[in-house]
Amino acid sequence: MDIIPQIRAAMHTLLSTTTEAIAAAQQYVKRPDRAKFTPSTLVQTLVYGWLAQPTATVEQLAQMACRIGVDVSPQAIDQRFTLATADLLRQLVLASIQPVIAANPVALPILQRFASVRVHDSTSIGLPDALTSTWRGCGNATTGGGSTLKCGVQLDVLTGTITALVPTITGWN
C-alpha cells in the first residue's frame, strides 16, 4: 500500500476544508469582506513556510504567501500572530491526529480479550525565551524556568490509532 497519496489527500483536506471548518466554528475571521487571507491560506503559508525554513522570518513567510496566491506584506503576517491564530493552529493539530497517524495494530492473543489497551506517554519541550512574557513557565530543571510545551499522546495498541493528544503549555498568562 502506497501511503504517500493518502498523506497528500489528508494534508490537503486538513489545510483547506478542516481549517475553514475550525475557523468558522471559532468565528476566527472578523471581517471576511476585507480579508486577503482566508484561514486556509494563512495556515498554508505558515505550514509550507516553516516546512521550507523552520526559522523563516515574516518576510520569508510573505514570499510563501505570494507563492500560494496571496499578496500580503510581512506586517500583515505579523499581525496574525495572535492567541486566536494559536488556538486555530492548536485545534488543527488535534484534528490532524486521527486521519494521519496510525500504527499497525498488535495482534497478541493475550491482549485480544480487552476492548482497548492504551499506552500513554508525554514529553516536555522547552519554548524560546521570547515566549516567557506570554507563557511564564513552571520553573522546572529541564527548561531552566522557561516556558514549556508538554505533549501527552495515547495510543490504543489494539487498533493502532492515537486516541488522545493533549498539548499543554505550562505557565499560560
Side-chain angles (χ1 to χ4, degrees):
M1 172 204 280
D2 191 6
I3 195 163
I4 300 299
Q6 293 175 6
I7 292 174
R8 182 189 174 283
M11 287 295 293
H12 176 73
T13 300
L14 184 71
L15 297 179
S16 58
T17 311
T18 305
T19 298
E20 293 296 331
I22 292 170
Q26 73 178 154
Q27 298 177 336
Y28 178 78
V29 178
K30 303 302 180 209
R31 297 181 307 212
D33 57 318
R34 296 185 54 200
K36 283 188 175 183
F37 268 129
T38 63
S40 60
T41 57
L42 172 63
V43 168
Q44 289 171 33
T45 296
L46 299 177
V47 170
Y48 297 145
W50 285 327
L51 274 174
Q53 173 65 342
T55 59
T57 64
V58 289
E59 289 80 10
Q60 291 167 317
L61 291 172
Q63 291 173 2
M64 181 58 70
C66 196
R67 287 186 206 131
I68 292 170
V70 182
D71 187 21
V72 294
S73 68
Q75 293 80 11
I77 293 173
D78 190 55
Q79 290 171 355
R80 280 158 180 84
F81 291 136
T82 64
L83 291 177
T85 300
D87 190 47
L88 173 67
L89 294 171
R90 181 186 65 81
Q91 289 185 42
L92 197 57
V93 167
L94 294 174
S96 73
I97 295 305
Q98 266 327 111
V100 176
I101 299 175
N104 291 328
V106 174
L108 294 175
I110 194 165
L111 298 179
Q112 299 304 314
R113 66 178 113 176
F114 301 103
S116 177
V117 177
R118 297 180 179 192
V119 177
H120 185 90
D121 193 16
S122 64
T123 188
S124 293
I125 302 165
L127 297 175
D129 290 340
L131 295 176
T132 303
S133 62
T134 305
W135 295 295
R136 284 188 311 273
C138 59
N140 65 31
T142 304
T143 63
S147 302
T148 57
L149 170 66
K150 183 172 184 176
C151 189
V153 177
Q154 192 173 85
L155 173 73
D156 186 336
V157 178
L158 292 179
T159 63
T161 59
I162 291 182
T163 56
L165 174 70
V166 185
T168 306
I169 299 175
T170 58
W172 182 272
N173 278 344

